[in-house]
Amino acid sequence: MGAILVIGSSYGSAKVNSDSMAPTYSSGELVFLEKIDAGETERGDVVFYRTANRYQGMPVLQRVIGLGGDRVRQSPGGPVTVNGKPLAEPYVKDGDPSGTTPAYDVVVPEGRLFLLGDYRANSYDSRYFLAEQSGSVAATAVQARVLDSRAGLLLWASAALLGLLAAVGGLAAGTVSWAKRRAVG
């Protein structure tokens, strides 16, 4: 039962509702999520978050590009740089890291995240909110991280299923034993 509670409280899923994360995740695709605390977020994570003042309060999937204290820059047609180092972004759709936005150069406030979609020409992300704390989102808005691999989730689900089967088997054996003792006595 413990494994079931862990899975029920630590993992979830969501359906992708736009192409802003293409080609990594397509509209209509089901993604598996691992619930995390704000301090567990890392650069490169695809996170599931919600803010009241953006996207009509709907949850969004975007990739973490910058953490609190990072300087994030980009010139049109050039790579995104974090703290002066160009990011290797093989996940960006059509190899275009800039999309259609003008140049930007921001320092991410502490406790906040700079987030971008993988399909930069079709993502309404941190670049469009630069006037609001450098376009960043509070790290506490993150509800979960998308699992890159389903292997961990499958292992937990297998353990929960085996535990459940063992519990049912034990209950059945106990019931049969009780019934036999009662019939004899």
Side-chain angles (χ1 to χ4, degrees):
M1 292 302 276
I4 292 171
L5 289 173
V6 168
I7 290 172
S9 63
S10 298
Y11 295 93
S13 63
K15 185 176 178 184
V16 178
N17 291 322
S18 77
D19 284 323
S20 67
M21 285 301 296
T24 309
Y25 303 106
S26 301
S27 184
E29 185 175 346
L30 184 66
V31 294
F32 292 94
L33 307 169
E34 172 187 26
K35 294 177 184 166
I36 59 171
D37 292 326
E40 296 178 73
T41 308
E42 299 177 6
R43 269 186 227 99
D45 285 348
V46 175
V47 296
F48 179 82
Y49 73 97
R50 181 187 313 252
T51 61
N53 61 342
R54 294 186 191 172
Y55 317 110
Q56 299 174 346
M58 300 295 293
V60 178
L61 285 180
Q62 290 177 341
R63 189 174 300 274
V64 177
I65 300 298
L67 304 171
D70 286 344
R71 182 177 182 190
V72 182
R73 298 180 61 188
Q74 186 179 37
S75 299
V80 174
T81 64
V82 176
N83 301 323
K85 297 178 183 167
L87 286 182
E89 296 187 287
Y91 46 78
V92 172
K93 182 160 175 69
D94 300 329
D96 180 11
S98 61
T100 58
T101 58
Y104 57 90
D105 184 350
V106 298
V107 174
V108 182
E110 288 300 326
R112 300 187 68 84
L113 308 169
F114 191 85
L115 305 162
L116 297 176
D118 289 355
Y119 187 1
R120 303 285 160 78
N122 190 34
S123 182
Y124 193 53
D125 49 38
S126 287
R127 300 169 296 166
Y128 293 92
F129 299 96
L130 295 175
E132 299 172 22
Q133 298 194 47
S134 300
S136 65
V137 170
T140 55
V142 173
Q143 297 174 346
R145 160 180 41 224
V146 177
L147 292 171
D148 290 335
S149 165
R150 296 180 180 155
L153 184 60
L154 291 175
L155 286 173
W156 277 100
S158 297
L161 181 59
L162 288 174
L164 182 60
L165 290 174
V168 169
L171 183 60
T175 302
V176 168
S177 175
W178 176 79
K180 283 185 179 181
R181 279 187 303 211
R182 192 151 164 94
V184 172

